[in-house]
Amino acid sequence: MKILLITTPKEGECVEGATPAYLLYDFSNYPPLGLLAIAANVDSRHELEVLDTVTKNMSIAETVEYIKKAKPDLLGLSVASRRLYPMKAVTARIKEELPDTAIIVGGAHPNEFGMQTMELGTMDYVMSGYCELAFPQFIENLDKIRKGEASKEIMSEVPGLYYRLDGQIKFNPEDEKAQSLDHLPFPKRDLVDLNDYFTAADKERMTTMFTSRGCPYKCTFCDVTEKQYHYRSTKMIVDEMEYILSLGIKEIHIFDDTFNLNRKRVIEMCNEIIRRGVKVRWTARVRANPLDREMLLLMKKAGLSRLHAGIESLDPAALIAMKKQITLEHIKDFFALCKELKINTLCYMILGFPEETREYRETFFKTLKKLSPTYVFINVLYPLAKTKLYDDLVANGFYPRDLWDDFFRNPVPNFELPPMRTPELQKEVVELMDNVHKRFYLSPSFIIQDLRRNMNPKMLMRKAKMAMRLIFANTLQENANGSHHSSPFPAKTSAY
């Protein structure tokens, strides 16, 4: 069979108002690891292609034309909730113009809203859960059906699959997720152009990898719903690092939800890297706690160059209310230790928590600078679906009904959930986000230090582009220009 797997184009995606475009699309571009992972075990007799429409900045129309020319037997799309409208637009067009092409949809959105996705009616199949093994099984069953060797009933064998049979939507329960992830294959990274992926903080070509999945913490704003912790063995982690290095990639970003959750596992991984003599630069997403000097020293010896830390707020009351389970002292100790050991940091922050005061916002930049982060990445608090933050807003009557559910059942272009704060406060918070980014990244001290860290000509061009966008950045105006379909059910004036 001819198989085409694509990322969903970003045209018409939700206007979240949480992350500015200059960070979302200019600071980094990560490979579609999910698609590359499910492709790994597909039998080589099939012709398989991966198209990253987001990286290629393709519109809905351009994506449709590409698919029409390719004429795949199977089209697979990976979709996050914010790109539900372009996914539906693409699949509706393909279903109309290529009726013999089977369509399957997976990704972060179907993992949580599989039935609603299937009920949109523009695809033949939806797959949820860990799909590295289920997807190749689905391919073989589909091939048998297309050849007339089996009936559609055999789709009942594929775990996590939604499909139609006799006019009804059927769902096969997902397989129980093992705690160990060692049975899953390495993503097939050679299916994409590895030169397309970067972060503005890295010196050379980079890629991402996972050493674990899931996060047991229950932060009120976070939409990570996998609360069980699944992990890979030290051997498998370092084996994949060696495989990545063989592709000519020198930098790896460990994309775990919480890399440092298990201290023993981190220590063992670092010792194995050192024992094998693997020369690799790597970064990881971590919490400010747990972390200690011995652990950090070993991580640096094993090639650690930067830590991405989800700090979220410097307001003690906000940290408690969001159930972050870290304190201001944890945060200060984390940055002090990284600074002492000369480990770069990227600090994720969120503005707009209800506990914030005007004084907090007025002193935010000064307080943030005292921590000496190498990079900052600031969002505005936004109520995502299936978070406690959003559920409480619905339960308390701020939103008159579940507006996300309305959107999931009837996706519209450029959907915008009404802000959870007054227009005046929303303006203040978004402008503060833009101004802090400008003051931080356009300061002479940052520019000089960053040039010393990285003189790669290609990366300098990307950073120059980002700087120009940042100089003229106005996220409020950009969101207003992009938003044409806010919810028809208005919220109250303010949740706080």
Side-chain angles (χ1 to χ4, degrees):
M1 288 197 306
K2 187 175 185 181
I3 303 165
L4 175 61
L5 303 179
I6 72 169
T7 56
T8 300
K10 61 185 180 182
E11 179 191 351
E13 69 181 356
C14 293
V15 182
E16 293 185 350
T19 305
Y22 51 80
L23 290 184
L24 195 59
Y25 297 115
D26 292 340
F27 188 89
S28 61
N29 186 38
Y30 297 122
L33 214 59
L35 291 181
L36 303 181
I38 66 170
N41 275 0
V42 172
D43 194 290
S44 60
R45 77 177 190 281
H46 300 294
E47 181 185 342
L48 191 149
E49 177 186 0
V50 172
L51 172 66
D52 188 349
T53 67
V54 177
T55 291
K56 296 185 181 301
N57 201 27
M58 295 172 69
S59 66
I60 291 171
E62 289 169 335
T63 302
V64 169
E65 286 305 308
Y66 189 100
I67 297 167
K68 285 168 60 180
K69 288 179 182 177
K71 294 182 180 178
D73 297 307
L74 174 67
L75 172 66
L77 296 91
S78 175
V79 61
S81 294
R82 71 177 183 275
R83 294 193 181 130
L84 197 59
Y85 169 76
M87 182 280 293
K88 185 181 179 184
V90 169
T91 53
R93 286 279 306 279
I94 296 305
K95 186 50 65 181
E96 178 183 343
E97 301 195 36
L98 294 177
D100 292 333
T101 294
I103 301 175
I104 185 169
V105 174
H109 182 78
N111 279 348
E112 299 301 326
F113 305 99
M115 184 58 74
Q116 290 98 316
T117 306
M118 192 70 178
E119 288 174 346
L120 293 174
T122 58
M123 71 288 299
D124 303 291
Y125 305 95
V126 167
M127 185 170 279
S128 64
Y130 293 177
C131 302
E132 287 94 337
L133 303 183
F135 183 70
Q137 181 183 358
F138 164 78
I139 294 295
E140 295 309 311
N141 286 9
L142 182 64
D143 195 29
K144 290 176 183 176
I145 293 170
R146 293 179 69 89
K147 291 176 178 177
E149 298 174 359
S151 65
K152 201 169 184 179
E153 279 81 357
I154 63 168
M155 286 304 184
S156 64
E157 303 169 354
V158 182
L161 186 69
Y162 295 81
Y163 61 103
R164 291 183 182 85
L165 189 66
D166 299 328
Q168 293 185 328
I169 296 176
K170 304 288 186 178
F171 173 62
N172 306 327
E174 299 172 16
D175 281 343
E176 185 175 348
K177 296 172 182 174
Q179 189 169 25
S180 171
L181 301 174
D182 281 359
H183 62 293
L184 301 180
F186 299 161
K188 195 171 174 57
R189 292 179 173 85
D190 55 359
L191 289 172
V192 293
D193 185 348
L194 299 173
N195 293 307
D196 287 339
Y197 304 101
F198 67 92
T199 77
D202 288 317
K203 294 182 178 181
E204 302 184 62
R205 287 200 307 172
M206 59 77 63
T207 192
T208 53
M209 69 175 287
F210 287 93
T211 74
S212 68
R213 295 179 184 176
C215 177
Y217 294 96
K218 298 178 181 179
C219 301
T220 59
F221 60 87
C222 183
D223 63 346
V224 174
T225 56
E226 177 59 90
K227 294 305 176 186
Q228 289 191 334
Y229 188 64
H230 307 270
Y231 56 86
R232 301 169 67 195
S233 68
T234 293
K235 178 184 183 304
M236 291 296 289
I237 294 168
V238 184
D239 282 353
E240 184 169 358
M241 285 183 168
E242 290 184 321
Y243 158 67
I244 290 171
L245 292 174
S246 75
L247 299 175
I249 297 173
K250 300 292 179 65
E251 306 203 21
I252 300 171
H253 182 41
I254 295 177
F255 220 53
D256 298 11
D257 293 312
T258 313
F259 171 71
N260 60 325
L261 180 66
N262 185 320
R263 184 182 188 277
K264 179 175 180 290
R265 197 179 70 93
V266 174
I267 296 294
E268 288 176 352
M269 185 196 87
C270 293
N271 281 330
E272 182 66 9
I273 292 172
I274 295 166
R275 186 188 71 79
R276 292 196 201 181
V278 178
K279 305 300 181 184
V280 59
R281 283 171 53 92
W282 56 276
T283 63
R285 299 196 301 181
V286 299
R287 289 172 54 87
N289 183 62
L291 203 73
D292 58 72
R293 179 183 298 275
E294 178 190 8
M295 181 177 173
L296 205 51
L297 279 169
L298 188 62
M299 290 163 71
K300 183 176 181 181
K301 185 178 179 181
L304 173 70
S305 63
R306 186 178 65 253
L307 290 176
H308 294 207
I311 302 303
E312 325 312 355
S313 180
L314 301 176
D315 184 310
L319 290 170
I320 293 171
M322 74 177 80
K323 303 186 186 303
K324 184 70 181 177
Q325 296 189 40
I326 62 171
T327 66
L328 204 52
E329 289 307 308
H330 289 143
I331 294 168
K332 291 177 180 178
D333 290 346
F334 169 82
F335 284 101
L337 192 54
C338 287
K339 184 177 181 180
E340 178 190 338
L341 300 181
K342 295 182 171 54
I343 294 172
N344 292 336
T345 54
L346 187 151
C347 176
Y348 293 114
M349 299 296 300
I350 300 176
L351 289 168
F353 284 101
E355 295 74 24
E356 291 176 6
T357 63
R358 181 173 294 277
E359 180 184 4
Y360 173 83
R361 291 189 290 274
E362 288 175 348
T363 60
F364 175 71
F365 179 74
K366 182 179 180 181
T367 309
L368 180 64
K369 284 286 287 182
K370 285 181 180 179
L371 297 175
S372 299
T374 315
Y375 303 94
V376 297
F377 197 114
I378 305 169
N379 296 314
V380 171
L381 183 64
Y382 184 79
L384 296 167
K386 295 204 81 167
T387 62
K388 187 177 188 305
L389 171 67
Y390 176 70
D391 290 345
D392 285 349
L393 289 170
V394 175
N396 295 336
F398 176 71
Y399 293 124
R401 56 190 289 180
D402 188 342
L403 303 184
W404 275 123
D405 185 66
D406 290 343
F407 171 71
F408 295 159
R409 295 182 186 279
N410 182 31
V412 292
N414 307 301
F415 171 79
E416 182 177 16
L417 193 73
M420 56 179 286
R421 52 190 70 82
T422 65
E424 295 77 15
L425 185 54
Q426 179 75 3
K427 181 175 184 291
E428 179 184 341
V429 171
V430 174
E431 287 181 347
L432 176 59
M433 173 187 68
D434 282 344
N435 289 336
V436 170
H437 282 136
K438 290 178 183 181
R439 291 176 67 184
F440 188 92
Y441 285 114
L442 300 178
S443 68
S445 60
F446 173 82
I447 293 171
I448 292 170
Q449 290 173 11
D450 201 53
L451 286 172
R452 288 173 178 167
R453 281 190 292 265
N454 188 355
M455 291 292 289
N456 182 303
K458 188 174 182 179
M459 196 57 67
L460 287 176
M461 291 297 294
R462 285 177 173 148
K463 290 181 179 180
K465 177 184 174 183
M466 180 178 167
M468 291 302 296
R469 285 196 63 171
L470 192 53
I471 289 170
F472 300 103
N474 185 332
T475 300
L476 278 173
Q477 186 61 49
E478 290 172 12
N479 288 347
N481 291 341
S483 175
H484 307 293
H485 291 83
S486 59
S487 169
F489 301 98
K492 293 180 181 178
T493 305
S494 173
Y496 61 93

